[in-house]
């Protein structure tokens, strides 16, 4: 906002310079005379009316919220459909090539045995028949096999790298589309106006990019970007206009919602809809928006977010079941972790005495999450110094990392190199378990009777792999070991390392699914080791239960979410028996992780030097006695109630401040009000100034009374340009305009929030954070402006710098400047 740092400029510019262009939202309207006139006009038009403007606005708000939920469901459906199409194309082709290679090796072995005289002539005839059958099976992929030389490895690397490059191209076009978008939306809801974060162009690049990045086989998910896409949809729908199309699409129907407060509330609803679309968890989406997203919440916003998430899930439900003409619903078609059933009748799948074991798993997950966050933080710092300043380097990094991930992913099943027999005794297995058995990948094994354990977790979609880890039976009562300890360990460690490196590259990527998949492998490994320790006597719960606890532990250790994540996992599992274990695991993971560092989203916010305001007062303010006069910025540029147009123009040219106090020179320089930069630029652009002859210079310091000295611009005319107000570069000032008078009294916010210079920093911080202010004027006992506080002045670093100044440092500076 042009201010910040508490006047300690040598240290301030080092931290805030990278994001000095970031502005804050303004949630409070300027209570000026033109605003009061507009409100009075609205009230007058509603007099005696039943269908008032307020009721119309409320109906529009609910209709737009409904549209946000429907459109976000459509976006999620399209993204999920094309992701499955691309992934199926890739895996089918690679599996065909692997099957061809296995058949050729098998036939070659049989030919060697026949050539050695171990078979009769009839066996040779059978070999020729088998050879023809193999050729017929591979005919569909023959041309592509010739293109890759019959190499499944080359085909796999080609698909993976191509899709990753396509995803990176969309980030090349719109850089803010990279990552999950959750840290940016969290900052947006905190009151920070990040550039281009809710633009329609960002939506297209985000959705199409994450489709390719997930299909590229990178350890990323599309759940985080769904939160970002829902927020963009909500912002675009509520504003009704977009620069992407080059035209105004609103037709003045949505002008009531063109302000920062309404946009913030719609974005909070969109974030809830994004989680609902990703996990089919509407209640979890509302709690996610409350716990992790929004900084300002209300009861009405709770109902709207609930309605938006409900609409999203209802739309998904209708789309998924359209083939049955909306008869009996097929719940399996919605995203879930599969159907969890009690394996022992009506009793739970775990014992009460196992709860401490779950707590230990939660602590281990918190430790894993802390290590992941710390490693990713160091990698991100290196990436910001060496790569992120160049788009070309970011693109080449994506290609290089994708190639490395492809090589490691293909080599891991080869290193395992063991073929496991498919389960045969499945009479009492559910259809879900039988379908998961069909999804196991043979990978150079006999596709009819064998599978590769590590390949079954890599050469398949992430949600299928998660279901396999959750639902394959291993209860200890028998020896059904679908995934052995070695295979789980071999998958878990490289996958976690790859996820650590990948998060932060120039592709749209989420963190939920990689954390759940790696955590499920970790939890199932723990369960498997406990069964081995117990000699498979059935003392402990089944490994699927431990896989669920491990998934929650690792995700909770990385994101540090508790309430919303518990409900999301419960809605995804659909089984209430896991309420208490999930709560214990997530709390222990959060406590353990917080001992070492913050959550990953908070770490990335701080790495980008975004002035995010936490709910609580910084600890340094609690340990030291700091007052508002120490932290305020004294570089205040003031205006008079009636000012020369040339003076205003030169002031806007010379500084980048977003707010200018207006002081009443007729009463000794007391605070009259404030004027925003956007309003001043609008008045200059519209040439709303009077003739130079209407007032003499020496009359400005006198009481001018109600006389108006310049043409009046209505409040709705000024706000019509939101959010792209004219800048000072859009103003064309003539030489003759410099001496014209600009009457600021009708436009001044005559009721700005102020705080005395002796107020404690705790009170100042709570006032600023609770009301969501953009600035706070600091006055002395005579109501004279002595400084301005913005959000940058209340950050821990700025508070630390303010300790170097005394309580009366600004008074000493004024005395020195006068002397």
């Amino acid at each position: 906002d042009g201010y910040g740092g508490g006047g300690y400029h040598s240290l301030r510019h080092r931290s805030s310079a990278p994001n000095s262009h970031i502005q804050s939202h303004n949630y409070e309207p300027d209570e000026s005379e033109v605003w009061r006139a507009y409100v009075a006009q609205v009230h007058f038009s509603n007099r005696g009316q039943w269908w008032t403007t307020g009721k119309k606005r409320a109906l529009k708000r609910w209709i737009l919220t409904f549209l946000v939920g429907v459109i976000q469901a459509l976006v999620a459906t399209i993204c999920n459909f094309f992701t499955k199409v691309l992934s199926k194309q890739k895996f089918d082709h690679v599996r065909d090539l692997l099957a061809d290679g296995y058949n050729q090796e098998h036939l070659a072995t049989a030919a060697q045995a026949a050539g050695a005289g171990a078979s009769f002539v009839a066996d040779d005839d059978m070999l020729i028949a088998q050879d023809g059958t193999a050729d017929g099976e591979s005919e569909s992929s023959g041309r592509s096999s010739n293109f890759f030389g019959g190499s499944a490895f080359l085909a796999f690397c080609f698909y993976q790298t191509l899709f990753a490059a396509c995803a990176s191209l969309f980030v090349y076009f719109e850089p803010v589309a990279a990552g999950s978008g959750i840290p940016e939306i969290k900052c947006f809801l905190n009151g920070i106006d990040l550039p281009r974060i809710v633009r329609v162009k960002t939506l297209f690049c985000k959705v199409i990019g994450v489709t390719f990045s997930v299909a590229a086989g990178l350890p990323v998910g599309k759940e985080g970007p769904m939160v970002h896409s829902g927020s963009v949809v909500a912002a675009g729908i509520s504003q009704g206009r977009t620069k992407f199309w080059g035209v105004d699409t609103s037709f003045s129907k949505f002008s009531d919602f063109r302000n920062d407060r309404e946009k913030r509330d719609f974005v909070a609803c969109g974030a809830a809809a994004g989680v609902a679309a990703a996990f089919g968890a509407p209640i979890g989406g509302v709690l996610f928006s409350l716990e992790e997203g929004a900084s300002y919440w209300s009861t009405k916003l709770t109902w709207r977010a609930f309605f938006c998430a409900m609409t999203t899930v209802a739309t998904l439900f209708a789309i998924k079941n359209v083939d049955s003409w909306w008869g009996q619903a097929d719940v399996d078609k919605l995203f879930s972790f599969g159907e969890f059933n009690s394996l022992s009748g009506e009793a739970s799948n775990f014992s009460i005495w196992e709860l401490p074991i779950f707590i230990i798993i939660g602590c281990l997950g918190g430790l894993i999450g802390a290590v992941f966050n710390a490693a990713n933080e160091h990698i991100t710092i290196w990436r910001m110094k060496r790569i992120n300043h160049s788009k070309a380097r970011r693109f080449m990094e994506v290609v290089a990392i994708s190639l490395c991930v492809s090589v490691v992913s293909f080599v891991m099943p080869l290193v395992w190199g063991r073929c496991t027999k498919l389960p045969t005794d499945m009479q009492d297995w559910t259809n879900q378990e039988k379908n998961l058995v069909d999804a196991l990948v043979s990978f150079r094994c006999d596709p009819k009777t064998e599978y590769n354990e590590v390949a079954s977790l890599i050469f398949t979609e992430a949600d299928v792999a998660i279901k396999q880890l959750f639902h394959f039976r291993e209860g200890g009562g028998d020896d059904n070991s679908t995934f052995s300890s070695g295979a789980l360990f071999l998958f878990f460690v490289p996958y976690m390392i790859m996820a650590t490196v990948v998060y932060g590259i120039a592709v749209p990527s989420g963190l939920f699914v990689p954390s759940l998949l790696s955590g499920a492998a970790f939890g199932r490994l723990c369960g498997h080791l406990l069964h081995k320790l117990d000699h498979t006597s059935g003392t402990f719960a089944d490994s699927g239960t431990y896989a669920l606890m491990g998934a929650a532990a690792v995700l909770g250790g990385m994101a540090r979410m508790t309430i919303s994540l518990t409900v999301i996992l419960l809605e995804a599992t659909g089984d209430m028996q896991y309420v208490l274990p999930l709560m214990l695991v997530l709390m222990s993971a959060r406590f353990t992780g917080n001992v070492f560092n913050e959550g990953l989203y908070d770490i990335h916010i701080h790495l980008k030097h975004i002035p995010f305001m936490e709910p609580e007062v910084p600890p340094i303010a609690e340990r030291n006695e700091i007052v508002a006069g120490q932290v305020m910025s004294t570089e205040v540029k003031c205006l008079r109630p009636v000012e020369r147009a040339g003076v205003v123009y030169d002031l806007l040219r010379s500084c980048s401040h977003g707010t200018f106090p207006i002081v009443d020179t007729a009463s000794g320089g007391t605070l009259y009000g404030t004027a925003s930069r956007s309003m001043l630029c609008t008045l200059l652009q519209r040439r709303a100034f009077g003739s130079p002859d209407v007032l003499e210079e020496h009359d400005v310091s006198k009481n001018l009374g109600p006389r108006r000295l310049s043409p009046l611009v209505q409040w709705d005319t000024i706000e019509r340009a939101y959010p792209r107000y004219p800048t000072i570069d859009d103003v064309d000032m003539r030489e003759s305009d410099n001496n014209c008078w600009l009457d600021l009294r009708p436009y001044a916010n005559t009721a700005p929030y102020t705080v005395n210079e002796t107020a404690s920093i705790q009170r100042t911080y709570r006032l600023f954070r609770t009301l969501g202010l953009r600035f706070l004027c600091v006055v002395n006992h005579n109501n004279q402006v002595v400084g301005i506080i913005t959000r940058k002045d209340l950050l821990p670093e700025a508070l630390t710098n303010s300790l170097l100044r005394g309580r009366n440092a600004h008074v000493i500076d004024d005395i020195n400047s006068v002397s």
Side-chain angles (χ1 to χ4, degrees):
D1 294 309
Y3 301 99
Y8 204 77
H9 308 298
S10 61
L11 293 177
R12 170 170 61 90
H13 291 301
R14 181 174 59 188
S15 63
S16 60
N19 285 308
S20 59
H21 62 285
I22 292 179
Q23 300 290 328
S24 299
H25 289 151
N26 187 18
Y27 296 140
E28 297 292 333
D30 291 341
E31 296 190 2
S32 58
E33 291 185 19
V34 292
W35 176 80
R36 294 187 185 96
Y38 174 81
V39 173
Q41 183 181 4
V42 173
H43 289 169
F44 181 79
S45 63
N46 291 331
R47 186 174 301 174
Q49 300 290 329
W50 178 82
W51 188 241
T52 61
T53 303
K55 294 180 179 178
K56 294 177 183 177
R57 186 183 298 116
L59 179 60
K60 291 180 183 178
R61 189 180 289 116
W62 284 104
I63 292 175
L64 293 180
T65 305
F66 175 80
L67 291 178
V68 170
V70 172
I71 294 177
Q72 176 55 26
L74 295 175
V75 170
T77 302
I78 294 172
C79 178
N80 191 48
F81 173 77
F82 284 103
T83 300
K84 290 184 178 295
V85 169
L86 294 176
S87 299
K88 186 176 185 302
Q89 170 66 25
K90 177 186 69 175
F91 288 131
D92 287 350
H93 189 189
V94 173
R95 289 173 183 174
D96 288 341
L97 294 177
L98 287 171
D100 291 344
Y102 173 79
N103 291 333
Q104 291 176 4
E105 292 180 2
H106 182 70
L107 293 176
T109 303
Q112 291 178 357
S119 300
F120 296 101
V121 177
D123 294 332
D124 294 335
D125 296 336
M126 183 180 64
L127 177 62
I128 295 175
Q130 290 177 346
D131 193 15
T133 303
D135 291 341
E137 291 177 350
S138 62
E139 183 178 357
S140 60
S141 60
R143 287 177 293 180
S144 55
S145 301
N146 294 332
F147 179 78
F148 296 107
S151 173
F153 172 73
L154 293 179
F156 183 69
C157 293
F158 173 79
Y159 279 113
Q160 300 256 112
T161 308
L162 176 64
F163 291 159
C166 292
S168 185
L169 282 178
F170 287 97
V171 176
Y172 187 92
F173 296 141
E174 183 51 78
V176 298
S180 67
I182 293 180
E184 288 77 10
I185 295 302
K186 188 175 180 180
C187 292
F188 186 91
L189 294 175
N190 189 253
I192 305 172
D193 188 13
L194 296 177
R196 307 188 315 276
I197 202 66
V198 290
R199 296 282 179 85
V200 177
K201 179 182 177 182
T202 305
L203 172 65
F204 279 94
C205 293
K206 192 82 171 186
V207 174
I208 301 176
V210 76
T211 301
F212 281 104
S213 60
V214 173
L218 297 173
V220 299
K222 52 181 177 293
E223 283 65 30
M226 283 297 103
V227 176
H228 190 183
S229 66
S231 302
V232 180
V233 168
I237 292 296
S238 64
Q239 300 306 294
R241 70 189 303 178
T242 172
K243 191 178 179 181
F244 184 75
W245 306 113
V247 295
D248 185 353
T249 59
S250 67
F251 306 107
S252 300
K253 290 184 176 60
F254 310 136
S255 57
D256 292 340
F257 309 121
R258 284 190 185 165
N259 57 73
D260 290 336
R261 178 187 289 271
E262 291 286 353
K263 183 190 285 188
R264 176 197 68 190
D265 292 345
F266 272 102
V267 168
C269 295
V275 175
F279 292 100
I283 309 298
V286 175
L287 293 176
F288 173 86
S289 187
L290 170 62
E291 177 186 6
E292 190 68 18
S295 298
Y296 310 98
W297 200 259
S298 63
T299 305
K300 291 183 178 180
L301 185 57
T302 304
W303 284 106
R304 286 175 54 196
F306 177 82
F307 176 74
C308 190
M310 178 195 70
T311 305
T312 302
V313 174
T315 306
L316 286 173
F317 205 75
I319 294 174
K320 297 291 184 180
N321 293 279
V322 67
D323 53 348
S324 63
W325 292 95
W326 305 289
Q328 290 186 336
D330 185 2
V331 294
D332 290 337
K333 291 187 177 181
L334 289 175
F335 180 87
S336 67
F337 293 151
E339 184 179 357
F340 284 78
N341 297 315
S342 178
L343 301 179
S344 56
E346 296 181 357
S348 62
N349 290 342
F350 59 91
S351 302
I352 302 299
W353 59 264
E354 288 182 279
L355 293 179
I357 301 179
F358 295 156
I359 294 177
I360 295 175
I361 291 178
C363 294
L364 293 176
L367 184 62
I368 293 172
V371 173
F372 179 94
N373 293 355
N376 185 262
E377 180 181 6
H378 287 83
I379 294 174
T380 303
I381 293 174
W382 176 87
R383 190 174 280 144
M384 293 172 67
K385 292 180 179 179
R386 303 294 180 89
I387 295 177
N388 286 0
H389 58 83
S390 171
K391 287 186 176 182
R393 288 190 177 185
R394 298 188 76 187
F395 178 79
M396 295 305 298
E397 182 197 23
V398 171
V399 174
I401 289 181
S402 175
L403 188 60
C404 293
V405 169
S406 303
V407 173
V408 173
S409 300
F410 199 90
V411 169
M412 285 164 55
L414 295 177
V415 172
W416 178 247
R418 184 188 305 173
C419 294
T420 306
K421 293 292 184 180
L422 287 170
T424 55
D425 186 12
M426 297 186 294
Q427 294 182 357
D428 57 341
W429 284 34
T430 63
N431 291 330
Q432 174 181 249
E433 293 171 313
K434 295 178 181 178
N435 293 333
L436 291 176
V437 169
D438 295 336
L440 294 173
V441 180
S442 57
F443 194 86
R444 303 174 65 87
C445 297
D446 187 355
K448 297 181 179 180
T449 59
E450 297 174 331
Y451 69 98
N452 187 298
E453 298 179 27
V454 178
S456 298
L457 298 175
I458 297 176
F459 287 82
T460 188
E461 297 183 19
D463 55 344
V464 176
I466 292 175
K467 290 180 182 179
Q468 290 175 342
L469 293 172
F470 282 168
H471 297 291
F472 275 141
R473 299 195 177 188
E474 186 183 337
D478 48 28
D479 199 20
N480 287 333
S481 177
T482 314
F483 294 103
S484 60
S485 302
L488 294 171
F489 183 80
L490 182 61
F491 170 78
F492 171 72
V493 174
Y495 190 84
M496 283 293 295
I497 296 175
M498 291 188 297
T500 305
V501 175
V502 166
Y503 189 77
I505 63 175
V507 296
S509 58
L511 192 64
F512 279 84
V513 167
S515 302
L516 291 172
L517 180 55
S518 58
F522 166 73
R524 193 173 182 92
L525 174 62
C526 294
H528 187 75
L529 293 177
L530 289 174
H531 291 312
K532 289 294 184 183
L533 184 64
D534 190 42
H535 302 291
T536 65
S537 60
T539 304
F540 298 96
D542 66 294
S543 294
T545 298
Y546 281 95
L548 178 62
M549 298 302 118
V554 174
L555 180 55
M558 293 179 184
R560 310 291 161 80
M561 295 185 297
T562 53
I563 304 174
S564 59
L565 189 54
T566 301
V567 178
I568 289 173
L569 293 176
L570 283 176
E571 289 184 281
T573 57
D575 198 335
M576 291 298 294
Q577 66 172 316
Y578 296 114
V579 174
L580 181 59
L582 287 175
M583 294 173 66
L584 293 174
V585 165
L586 290 172
M587 286 298 296
S588 58
R590 180 184 176 89
F591 285 148
T592 305
N594 285 343
V595 172
F596 302 97
N597 49 32
E598 296 179 301
L600 190 61
Y601 299 141
D602 295 324
I603 289 176
H604 278 259
I605 289 174
H606 296 153
L607 287 178
K608 296 176 182 178
H609 299 293
I610 299 176
F612 185 86
M613 295 190 69
E614 300 290 346
E616 301 297 330
V617 180
I620 188 174
E622 301 287 351
R623 296 193 302 264
N624 300 275
E625 184 181 358
I626 307 175
V627 296
Q630 291 177 253
V631 302
M632 68 183 183
S633 174
T634 56
E635 297 179 352
V636 184
K637 306 295 184 181
C638 297
L639 294 170
R640 296 176 294 182
V642 180
E643 193 61 87
R644 297 279 187 184
V647 173
V648 177
Y649 180 82
D650 294 337
L651 179 61
L652 295 175
R653 278 289 185 188
S654 61
C655 67
S656 60
H657 295 180
T659 303
F660 300 91
I662 299 177
V663 295
D664 190 0
T665 54
S667 58
T670 58
L671 179 63
Y672 180 86
T674 58
S676 64
R677 185 182 188 89
S678 58
M679 184 266 292
L680 293 175
C681 291
T682 303
L683 295 179
L684 291 178
Q685 186 192 45
R686 291 184 170 272
R687 307 176 61 80
F689 34 75
S691 171
D693 303 329
V694 298
L695 190 67
E696 297 295 335
E697 185 69 34
H698 59 82
D699 294 332
V700 177
S701 58
K702 300 180 181 179
N703 189 359
L704 300 177
R707 186 164 55 124
R708 294 289 175 256
L709 306 177
S710 61
L712 193 64
V713 180
Q714 299 297 329
W715 180 82
D716 54 342
T717 303
I718 297 175
E719 294 299 319
R720 191 174 299 162
Y722 175 88
R724 302 179 186 92
Y725 295 106
T727 63
I728 192 61
D729 296 328
D730 300 326
V731 178
D732 183 18
M733 286 288 290
R734 305 168 188 168
E735 188 68 26
S736 59
D737 297 335
N738 291 332
N739 292 326
C740 293
W741 290 105
L742 182 60
D743 192 351
L744 299 176
R745 291 174 297 171
Y747 315 104
N749 179 18
T750 56
Y753 290 99
T754 61
V755 67
N756 196 278
E757 60 182 337
T758 60
S760 66
I761 197 62
Q762 290 91 338
R763 173 173 292 185
T764 305
Y765 190 95
R766 286 193 294 266
L767 176 65
F768 199 101
R769 174 66 165 73
T770 304
L771 296 178
L773 301 180
R774 182 173 183 174
F775 65 92
L776 190 60
C777 292
V778 183
V779 297
N780 57 17
H781 295 290
N782 297 322
N783 200 33
Q784 295 171 329
V785 181
V786 294
I788 278 191
I789 291 178
T790 62
R791 63 170 54 239
K792 293 179 182 178
D793 300 314
L794 299 175
L795 298 179
E797 184 181 6
L799 296 179
T800 303
N801 298 337
S802 68
L803 291 175
L804 303 176
R805 313 173 70 212
R807 291 173 62 98
N808 301 317
H810 63 284
V811 178
I812 299 176
D813 294 339
D814 293 340
I815 295 176
N816 293 334
S817 62
V818 172
S819 61

